[in-house]
């Protein structure tokens, strides 16, 4: 039952935001009593914390599965992007903004966990790209790993990128192309151009 509640909470939080969804909403969506929800979670703060950890684990495992496929580094980046978009619902409700504003400690903790996962993922991707001749061997892996994560987080800032003007899908695609064109060798750029031409609707 607890995992079912977490799955429902994650779905509702991503759709409507952390602030908007109540314990009643979650109970109603599941067809159970609010008392049942409180048997597993002391309060909403507890539920939000466990839901973000549940989502983090789900996303981390999905990213790791993609990495195990050992695609070429450029394809891997776009496949991870597609996976994130499927699981984070394009973030139309600005859940990151609401989490940061109303649950700052939870936001800080989950951001640190995300950074560790993404830094390792991006660093390995960069090193493989250099090894395969797709990325320039002069790049600073540590610097790019940190700036990549920072920019990814900035894309979710709705004051910088209001949803009325920027869709998350377009933001992600534009940023990934921007990122890759800055580090690719001519061989990598050819692969990138071919990928974009083949997958321009994704």
């Amino acid at each position: 039952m607890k995992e079912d509640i977490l799955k429902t909470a994650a779905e509702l939080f991503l759709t409507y935001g952390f602030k908007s969804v109540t314990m009643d909403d979650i109970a109603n969506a599941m067809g159970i009593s609010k008392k049942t929800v409180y048997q597993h979670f002391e309060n909403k703060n507890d539920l939000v914390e466990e839901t973000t950890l549940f989502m983090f684990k789900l996303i981390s495992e999905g990213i790791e599965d993609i990495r195990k496929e050992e695609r070429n580094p450029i394809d891997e980046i776009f496949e991870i992007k597609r996976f994130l978009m499927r699981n984070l619902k394009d973030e139309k409700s600005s859940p990151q903004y609401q989490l940061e504003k109303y649950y700052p400690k939870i936001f800080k903790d989950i951001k640190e966990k995300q950074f560790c996962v993404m830094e390792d993922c991006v660093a390995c991707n960069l090193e493989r790209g250099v090894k395969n001749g797709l990325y320039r061997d002069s790049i600073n892996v540590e610097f790019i790993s940190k700036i990549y994560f920072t920019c990814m987080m900035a894309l979710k800032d709705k004051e910088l990128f209001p949803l009325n003007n920027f869709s998350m899908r377009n933001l992600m695609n534009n940023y990934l192309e921007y990122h890759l064109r800055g580090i690719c060798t001519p061989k990598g750029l050819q692969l990138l151009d071919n990928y974009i031409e083949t997958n321009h609707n994704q």
Side-chain angles (χ1 to χ4, degrees):
M1 175 59 75
K2 184 173 183 177
E3 184 169 330
D4 290 338
I5 295 172
L6 288 171
K7 288 178 181 176
T8 301
E11 181 84 13
L12 292 175
F13 286 146
L14 288 174
T15 303
Y16 302 107
F18 287 97
K19 173 66 173 175
S20 310
V21 176
T22 66
M23 301 292 261
D24 280 316
D25 293 330
I26 293 165
N28 291 337
M30 297 185 67
I32 61 176
S33 68
K34 187 164 66 171
K35 181 180 177 181
T36 303
V37 179
Y38 279 108
Q39 286 175 350
H40 298 278
F41 304 96
E42 186 176 344
N43 50 45
K44 186 179 175 184
N45 192 86
D46 184 33
L47 176 60
V48 168
E49 183 173 20
E50 291 210 40
T51 302
T52 56
L53 288 172
F54 172 78
M55 292 161 58
F56 170 76
K57 184 171 182 289
L58 179 74
I59 296 298
S60 298
E61 289 174 352
I63 290 174
E64 188 58 32
D65 287 342
I66 292 170
R67 292 176 64 184
K68 287 176 182 176
E69 294 174 4
E70 296 189 346
R71 300 162 176 259
N72 78 67
I74 292 173
D75 188 41
E76 179 182 84
I77 282 184
F78 281 102
E79 184 59 30
I80 289 174
K81 184 268 298 185
R82 280 197 294 271
F83 170 75
L84 291 174
M85 297 302 289
R86 282 197 307 271
N87 284 274
L88 297 180
K89 295 178 166 294
D90 292 357
E91 301 200 337
K92 292 175 182 173
S93 63
S94 307
Q96 177 183 286
Y97 170 80
Q98 291 194 16
L99 189 66
E100 184 175 12
K101 183 174 182 180
Y102 299 107
Y103 302 93
K105 184 181 182 304
I106 296 173
F107 173 79
K108 180 176 180 293
D109 291 345
I110 205 69
K111 182 179 177 183
E112 289 173 357
K113 292 178 185 298
Q114 289 173 335
F115 177 73
C116 290
V117 169
M118 287 305 296
E119 185 177 38
D120 176 64
C121 176
V122 175
C124 289
N125 181 279
L126 292 170
E127 288 164 359
R128 285 203 305 119
V130 170
K131 184 178 179 181
N132 295 346
L134 300 176
Y135 303 156
R136 292 181 287 107
D137 59 11
S138 60
I139 62 174
N140 184 316
V141 170
E142 182 181 4
F143 168 76
I144 294 174
S145 297
K146 292 181 186 300
I147 207 74
Y148 182 89
F149 178 79
T150 302
C151 290
M152 277 293 193
M153 295 298 287
L155 294 182
K156 300 172 186 176
D157 185 331
K158 298 312 171 192
E159 292 184 1
L160 274 177
F161 301 106
L163 283 171
N164 290 338
N165 300 335
F166 303 94
S167 75
M168 183 53 69
R169 188 173 301 278
N170 286 338
L171 282 173
M172 291 280 280
N173 285 336
N174 288 336
Y175 176 64
L176 290 182
E177 183 176 354
Y178 171 84
H179 163 72
L180 289 167
R181 289 198 183 282
I183 62 174
C184 277
T185 61
K187 177 183 175 182
L189 288 173
Q190 184 177 12
L191 189 62
L192 174 62
D193 288 336
N194 292 339
Y195 182 92
I196 290 173
E197 184 177 349
T198 306
N199 300 275
H200 66 279
N201 289 326
Q202 296 186 26

